[in-house]
Structure formats: C-alpha cells, structure tokens
Amino acid sequence: MGRSKRTFDNYSRHVAALALHFGKVPTELDPEDIKDYLFELQKRSKTPSQSYFKHTVTDCGFC
C-alpha cells in the first residue's frame, strides 16, 4: 500500500467521521457535500490549524 499504519488509521478515522456525519457511505456523496463538510470542520474548530486541515483533506483523499 505504500503508507504507514498510522496514515491508514488516520485515513480510516476521517472517512468514518464523514460517513457518520452524513449517515451514508462516502461514495454516495457529491463534491459539494464534501466541501460543506470540510468547511463545517474548519468552522467548528476553536483554532483551526491549517496544517490539521490540510492533513484531513489529504489523508482522506477528498481532493
């Protein structure tokens, strides 16, 4: 797979959170749903770290 176990765990956790948020599997989402979700994540954080946000997007393969 070419990625560390930790990267895979992070990826899995973010994808699971996305699925729980919408109540459906991520493959049933459209790009606008994902953009809205990422925007909400950034708004929800008291101190949205750009680094964390980039890792969330990258680890999940959202972009």
Side-chain angles (χ1 to χ4, degrees):
M1 186 157 108
R3 303 204 184 242
S4 73
K5 180 180 178 339
R6 186 170 181 198
T7 299
F8 182 75
D9 291 344
N10 285 334
Y11 175 84
S12 300
R13 184 174 57 252
H14 288 296
V15 171
L18 179 71
L20 289 171
H21 177 80
F22 285 102
K24 53 187 171 179
V25 296
T27 56
E28 295 176 353
L29 301 174
D30 62 48
E32 198 61 34
D33 290 330
I34 295 170
K35 286 179 190 175
D36 291 344
Y37 175 73
L38 293 173
F39 180 71
E40 185 177 319
L41 278 182
Q42 195 169 32
K43 276 190 342 185
R44 204 182 317 163
S45 176
K46 292 181 181 172
T47 56
S49 158
Q50 289 301 317
S51 176
Y52 173 79
F53 188 73
K54 284 182 200 175
H55 285 289
T56 299
V57 172
T58 304
D59 287 349
C60 287
F62 290 146
C63 290

